[in-house]
Every structure is written in structure tokens, then in C-alpha cells.
Amino acid sequence: MLASPTTLHHLLLPAPPHLAFALPHAAPPLHAWLPLSRVAPPRVAALTHGSSCRMRRRGTRAKVVAAGGDEASSSGPTKFSVKIPVGNRHILVETGHIGRQASASVMVTDGETIVYCSVCMADTPSDPSDFFPMSVHYQERLSAAGRTSGGFFKREGRAKDHEVLVCRLIDRPLRPTMPKGFYYETQILSWVFSYDGIHSPDCVAVTAAGIAMALSEVPNKQTIAGVRIGMINDQFVVNPTTEQMEDSELDLMMAGTDSAILMIEGFCDFLTEEKLLQAVETGQVAIREICKAIDVLVQTCGKKKMVEAINLPPAELYRHVEDISGDELVKALQIKEKIPRRKALSALEEKVIMILSEQGYVSKDELSGPIGNLADIVEEEDEDEVIEDGEVDEGDVHIKPVSRKPHRQLFSEVDVKLVFKEVSSKYLRRRIVEGEKRSDGRSACELRPINSQCGILPRAHGSALFTRGETQALAVVTLGDYQMAQRIDTLVDTEESKSFYLQYTFPPSSVGEVGRTGAPNRREIGHGMLAERALEPVLPAEVDFPYTIRVESTITESNGSSSMASVCGGCLALQDAGVSIKFPVAGIAMGLVLDTQEFGGDGTPLILSDITGSEDASGDMDLKVAGSEHGISAFQMDIKVVGITLPVMEQALLQARDGRKHILNEMLKCSPPPSKALSPHAPVIHVMKVKPNKVNLIIGSGGRTIKSILEETGVYAIDARDDGTVKITARDMESLEKSKNIITNLTMVPKVGEIFRNCEIKTIAPYGAFVEIAPGREGLCHISELSSSWLAKAEDAYKVGDRIDVKLIEINDKGQLRLSCKALLPDANQEPGSIKQQTSSSVKEKVVYKDDIIKMTTRRSKRKKEVEPSAAENATPKTLENSTADSP
């Protein structure tokens, strides 16, 4: 509620003389004050409004009135706005002026980044289920950055991977705040309408969705907000800019309420658990301030919550299900194997439905929700009692007492299934807390048996099969050149690509079911990104390992924690492919039973290590942590109850560290172990550095030179970049060496006085002959330099294809070479024909200078190697005159 001016007058500012708020349940009205926030100064959230209109809230009307008390005429939509402090700046929240037919809509501005978010509900409820019918759609409009789509259809298409990840960031913290029994389909739409390239829109979108949900009729329990936390120079920064994030060691996205955490996700450079907790604490403080400011806005213009639409199964049904299932349910939950346990629970569920149907408790129709008393459905209205005139006064009501017997209540089959699932979860949690044993017999801190194998796929560049209990992942690594990199289309008008990516596949067969296959769903994209972020920090630098790396993780069995199995399997497969990782990493999933006092415990939250699928579904938390023995590289936490406190999270992280160390030790027992060497089926990549101004010589006019090299040598690809980096990808060393020598000759810098042996005459003109001194490098030998005697025309002494020795005598301003054959003649009287005969069998000599080839690296092993110049490159030319091989 808003504070009155008598108690918080220091938080209020004078209103314009012609406007004042008349808020519901506020006495006296705030005639001369505008409320700002309940946040203490100096960081005060400023609440303003635009033109006048009427808005419904909690069954009353909030009016904009004139200073004298008269209602102002309505000339347009009311625009409410509030400035909320976030980090070292403010975000602006506006509502009421756009998207007015939606249940709620907001515009949130951070700098010049603007995100619009709307919430809408269906008019009628959906069929009851154990999953709240909410969908989230997030889209980054290219027009927000002044761009348009480059495809044939000039509009945005299906969601990109990073947009799917933001959808998950919005969905996951909102879902735990939704009450059970609310079945109205809810849709959240979020668009980025403006992007300044400085302020990231993803964290703004999470907060915008939380505000829109709080303003709508959806009866969510608490307001949520989201922030990003970075760590720059050992200092935590709230919502850092994109430039600041380039230097950050941490990328933490988190969301929560004013009192607890609901979701965290991110990656870091192997920070300790203590550092991560400090970052979460910093984020929680920022979220608390945002939620308080949002509550002020909700009190002003929020809509009445549809609490009456919550439809829960009756308590009587829970008693019936427990009475029937009872001991059989306890025995079924003690089955260790997943599939037999699932079949036993399914059979028991059918038995419960059958017994309740025989007893007349389950209705045969498909009415959803608890059905009222049978008498209320079939009872006909009693006929009015006939009363003779004069016996009673006109207008009197005569009530005839009717005896009623209690009637049996009917339940729908859907309700029975929902209640059975809740009762099963309750019994499983009780078994864990009271019996201190989980379904598979493990204690809370115990991990499942681990087994791993490498090199199981002979033609793959690297492969590993990682098994943990009933969860199994087959990881495959493929190495390639730059053409295999994954291109990323973002709002920024730059071409980005990823040289490392992990793709996660979860087929229905992994859980023994039949289902759809095809394009990856949102869960697969999210799990793949989590595993990718966990492995990326341990990869070598591109200069040391110039390969594009693709990891495929196919889940062949699943009973919980399949994403963390992808981390472990992917790490082993990378080593098997010969990737020189810095150190091994592993991942583990943690669970939680928050309220142990309900099941006879002491109230202390119970943390579970390496949870199974049933413990994930019945528990209160799913925390995934990946990293090494000394730090964390990636993490993700989902909460199924409203909020986890920092002490509980600290306990979970420390217990996860112990489990991670155990998994790393088990991975060392891999049999067969990873080969740690490049596969003979992997391509060979050679990286060399030339002077940037020589790159055009490698490419040639219209790419003709580089195409001819590819055809002549048979290499896969040649990537020549503007900075002088040349990357050659070949199938074997022979083709690689051949292409390398051609490029070396193309990019060498000749010096005046150098001698070139056995050079081919490519063209003859009336004024001389063009001689190729190196592949693609030609110079003119003027007719006067072809012979010591006079020649009428060059054809008198030479023809195309002849080979001669020449000396470089001049390089003009345009870089053109002038050659001389006469300068090499030992005797001025020697005939040109004898010179041709003498040199026809000679070996062509080339000179390579240190400045020409700055750096050459061939990747055939996991270490960086410097390639020494060949013997031909080191040989001193046999010349009649002195020539230098020093760099210019």
C-alpha cells in the first residue's frame, strides 16, 4: 500500500497544481503530492502519469481529478510511468498508453534500448493439468537496430537460438509463482523495438515480463524482476553494458522476488563458490529494490487478480486416493529401476481410478474440476406451494422445510490423476526425509555408479560414451575449418561466428517413449547451451588450435541430469579428438526437499546430489553446476517453490563441489582412455602469416589464383584474411606442403640483385618477354636484356615455354619487376641459344625472406609447432654476383 503523506512526507514531491491522485482505499486523498516509492532516498523511484482517464482496479475506479476536486475530462489514455534505479542508472517503465486491449502491457526503457511486453489470457479455462498453460515468445526486431532481414522474405522468421534462450529466462522464474488450479492459458509476448548496442535487452525483457504479469489479472503469488551481474576488476556490476561485459569474468542472469531467488543461469571463468554467492547476493539486493518499485506501480494501476478462478481438487479426493493406494504406493516407490517403477505407478493409478469409479466417485463425462453434489445437478426446482387467498399477507414468503440427505460428490478422472501424482510426490519426499533413503537406495549425498568409454566410433574424430546410473550420453567431436563455424545473426550489424558449439539431442527413445523427432525443441537448445558454456573455457586458443570444433551429445538413456552427462561425455570426447583442453570439467545436478518438517524432519532443507528424474519432478529445486575441482564454469538453477534463500544455495553449491570432484576422479578411470591425439581422419590445418599487402596476391583477380591453388593441390580450403593470416585446410601433409610452397612463392618480396633460376617464359611481346620467377609472379625482360647482341625480335632467340636464368635489376614505383638475362652472361660474345641450352636443365632457385613468412604453424598434434624453412629455402643461390637474403 502507498504510504500517507503524514508518515512519509520526505518521499513525496509536489504535484502540478491542476492534477492530483485519488487512489482507492487512500484517505485522505493525496491532493498535493505525487507518490514516488517506498524505497529510501537517494535512490527513489519516481512515479508519474500522463493524460487523464479511468482505470479499474480491485473493483474500484482510480480517477484523475482536478486540484479543486472536479473530475478532469478524458482526452486520451492514461500513461503511468515509474523510474526504477538499477545499478548506476535508471530504467523507465511505462504502461496504460499502448496495448490497452491486452490484460497488461508495459514498455521498459534502458538507455535507448526499449522492450515491449504484453500478457493475455484466454476467455475460458483449459482442461486441468499438472503444467500451467503459459507460453512465452521473445523476438528481437532487426528494425530495432536499423536493419532488415537479408533473406528473400524481408521479415523475421522462426525464433533464433539466443531468442529461445531468452524465452526460457522469462518462463522459468514466472512459472513457480503461478498458483495450482489456475488453468487459463496465458501468453507473454515480448519484442525488442529499439536497441542501442550498449544496453542488453535480455535482462530488461525478464523484468518487463514480471511487471506485465504483476499488472494483469493472472493471480501470480509474487512480483518478479531480473538482472544481469558481471564481475569486472573483481567488482560486481549490475546490468553492465555490452562493452563492460567484454572484460567481465562472470555472466550471471538471475531473477527473483523481493525476498528470495527463483532462477539463476550463466557462466564464468572458474570462479569459486564463494564468489558466485557474493554475485548472487549483489543481484538479490538489486532485484529487491526493483520489486518494491513495481509494487508501488501495481497498487496504482494494477488489475484485480482472478483468485476466484483457481479450481483445486477437493480435500476429500486426497483422502480417498491415499486410502486406496497406501502401502502399494510405498512399495512401488521402492523399485530402483526407472521403467519398472513407472509401469507400477501407472498400474496403481489405473487401479485407483477403477475403484473410485466402482464406488461412484468418478464421473463418466469429461467435466473438468470437482463436480458439485449430485443433488445440485439432478434436483428439479420444487413447485411453488399453493396458498389460498387471505391466509397470508401479500408479499410474505412462505418457506417449506425440505429434508436433504448428504449426497456423494463426483470427481473427474483428470482430478484423480492430478491428485495421484501429488500424493506420489508426497510419499517419495517422505521416504527420502524419514527413511533417509532415495528410490534407488542411495543416501542424500551419494552418487550413482559411473562408467565411461572413449574411441567407440572409429571414423569419428573423437567419441565418448558416458554413463551415470540410468543416464547415458554419447558425445561425438568433429573438427573442421572456418567454413564449419556456426554463423550468428544478431541485432548488431556485424558478422559473428562460433568456432565451438555443442548440440544436444534428446530423443523419445531415451526414456522408453514414442514421440516427435525433428528440429530441436526449447529444452534441447537450453541444455545444449548450458553444456557448451561449461566446456568452452577449457578450450585452447585459436592460435594454438585453429580448428572449428563441433560436439554432438545424443542422450541414449535418461533418468535425470542428462545435460550434465553431456558435459562429462563432451569433455572426454574432446580429449579423444586430440583437443588440448586446459583441464577436465564435469557437471552434477542437485535437488532439494525444502520443508522437511512436514515429514517429521527438523525443518532443515535436505540437499540431494545427482538427482534422478522422479526426484527432479517431486523436488523443490534443480541446480546444475559444472566446472573443475577448483571453480565453476557454468550453472543453472530452476525453482519449483517460491524462492530459495542464500544459505540454502550455499549449502547446495558446496555439496555440488564435492560431487564434482568425485565425478572427475571417476572420469580418470575411463576405459579405453581418450587418445589425446588427432585422428588420422581429421583434416590437417596449417596457419601462416604473411604481410597484409600480399593477401591480394594469394586471392588473385576474382579469386582465380586461390581457386587454381585449390585445384592444383587438392586442399579443402584456404582462408586468407585481411590481417595477413592464411589458414590452409588439407586432407594430408603432401597436399598441405604443396599449397604452402605455392603461397610462399606468391608472397615473397623480391630484391634488386636477386637471381632466379630456370624461370619459364610465359608471354613474348615485340618489346621483350614476360618471365615467371615464381607462381603468379612475372617480370618483364626487355628485348635489350635478353642477349648481349642485338635482336630484331625476341622470337629470334626464345619461344614461349623456354626456361632461362634472370636477374632482378629494377622494381619501379608500381611494383613491376624488370629482369635481365644479359646480366648473367659470363661472356658477352656467348650466343643466346647456348645460354638457353645451359639453363634448360637447371633447378629453379627461390629465396624466402624472414619478413615474408612471419609465422607458420601446422596443427597435427596438440602442441603448437614452428615449421623450419626447407632446405631449398635455406640454400644460398649460386650466382656470379653477390646477392643478399636479408629482409628488406
Side-chain angles (χ1 to χ4, degrees), residues 384-399:
D384 293 338
E385 182 181 2
V386 179
I387 302 176
E388 297 180 3
D389 293 340
E391 291 187 4
V392 294
D393 295 336
E394 186 176 348
D396 285 353
V397 178
H398 179 69
I399 301 176

Side-chain angles (χ1 to χ4, degrees), residues 112-115 141 143-145 191-196 199 201 491:
E112 292 183 351
T113 296
I114 300 177
V115 177
R141 296 285 178 89
S143 58
W191 290 286
V192 179
F193 281 159
S194 177
Y195 179 58
D196 57 10
H199 305 95
L491 283 175

Side-chain angles (χ1 to χ4, degrees), residues 547-589:
Y547 285 91
T548 295
I549 306 172
R550 179 194 183 202
V551 181
E552 298 172 273
S553 178
T554 303
I555 306 304
T556 52
E557 295 182 34
S558 179
N559 188 13
S561 188
S562 59
S563 62
M564 296 296 96
S566 299
V567 175
C568 302
C571 179
L572 292 172
L574 287 171
Q575 296 179 76
D576 189 57
V579 181
S580 52
I581 63 174
K582 299 172 184 176
F583 37 76
V585 294
I588 187 172

Side-chain angles (χ1 to χ4, degrees), residues 142-198:
L142 293 177
S143 58
R147 297 177 54 206
T148 188
S149 174
F152 180 79
F153 300 100
K154 300 297 183 182
R155 64 184 304 166
E156 287 75 10
R158 69 179 184 89
K160 305 176 182 67
D161 283 1
H162 71 278
E163 292 174 332
V164 170
L165 296 174
V166 178
C167 289
R168 286 171 55 84
L169 291 176
I170 295 172
D171 183 286
R172 285 159 44 205
L174 283 174
R175 198 167 291 278
T177 66
M178 300 301 162
K180 292 181 179 180
F182 186 75
Y183 301 122
Y184 284 79
E185 184 178 358
T186 304
Q187 186 179 52
I188 301 174
L189 301 179
S190 183
W191 290 286
V192 179
F193 281 159
S194 177
Y195 179 58
D196 57 10
I198 301 173

Side-chain angles (χ1 to χ4, degrees), residues 473-648:
L474 175 62
V476 180
V477 171
T478 305
L479 303 177
D481 63 347
Y482 71 99
Q483 294 177 337
M484 203 179 81
Q486 186 179 44
R487 285 182 290 182
I488 305 173
D489 188 13
T490 62
L491 283 175
V492 183
D493 190 12
T494 58
E495 293 185 3
E496 296 185 19
S497 61
K498 293 167 59 176
S499 59
F500 170 71
Y501 49 96
L502 188 148
Q503 296 170 334
Y504 169 98
T505 305
F506 190 90
S509 60
S510 64
V511 289
E513 296 178 354
V514 176
R516 63 170 288 275
T517 59
N521 56 37
R522 293 187 173 188
R523 178 182 177 274
E524 289 175 311
I525 293 174
H527 280 33
M529 180 56 66
L530 177 62
E532 177 184 313
R533 289 171 171 174
L535 292 170
E536 189 172 13
V538 301
L539 296 178
E542 185 178 359
V543 68
D544 297 327
F545 196 83
Y547 285 91
T548 295
I549 306 172
R550 179 194 183 202
V551 181
E552 298 172 273
S553 178
T554 303
I555 306 304
T556 52
E557 295 182 34
S558 179
N559 188 13
S561 188
S562 59
S563 62
M564 296 296 96
S566 299
V567 175
C568 302
C571 179
L572 292 172
L574 287 171
Q575 296 179 76
D576 189 57
V579 181
S580 52
I581 63 174
K582 299 172 184 176
F583 37 76
V585 294
I588 187 172
M590 311 297 293
L592 171 70
V593 178
L594 186 62
D595 186 11
T596 57
Q597 195 169 6
E598 178 185 357
F599 309 108
D602 57 0
T604 304
L606 181 62
I607 308 295
L608 306 177
S609 296
D610 185 23
I611 57 175
T612 62
S614 60
E615 292 166 346
D616 183 6
S618 301
D620 299 323
M621 177 186 74
D622 180 14
L623 171 63
K624 304 179 180 73
V625 186
S628 66
E629 294 182 352
H630 307 292
I632 297 172
S633 60
F635 48 87
Q636 183 185 93
M637 183 179 74
D638 292 322
I639 300 300
K640 301 179 181 64
V641 294
V642 184
I644 295 295
T645 59
L646 281 173
V648 175

Side-chain angles (χ1 to χ4, degrees), residues 28-78:
L30 307 182
H31 292 295
W33 304 93
L34 283 176
L36 292 185
S37 170
R38 294 179 293 177
V39 183
R43 300 174 60 182
V44 179
L47 179 67
T48 61
H49 72 283
S51 57
S52 60
C53 81
R54 298 183 179 183
M55 297 191 64
R56 291 182 57 84
R57 180 187 176 275
R58 303 185 186 277
T60 60
R61 291 181 181 270
K63 302 178 182 179
V64 179
V65 297
D70 299 332
E71 183 178 346
S73 61
S74 177
S75 59
T78 300

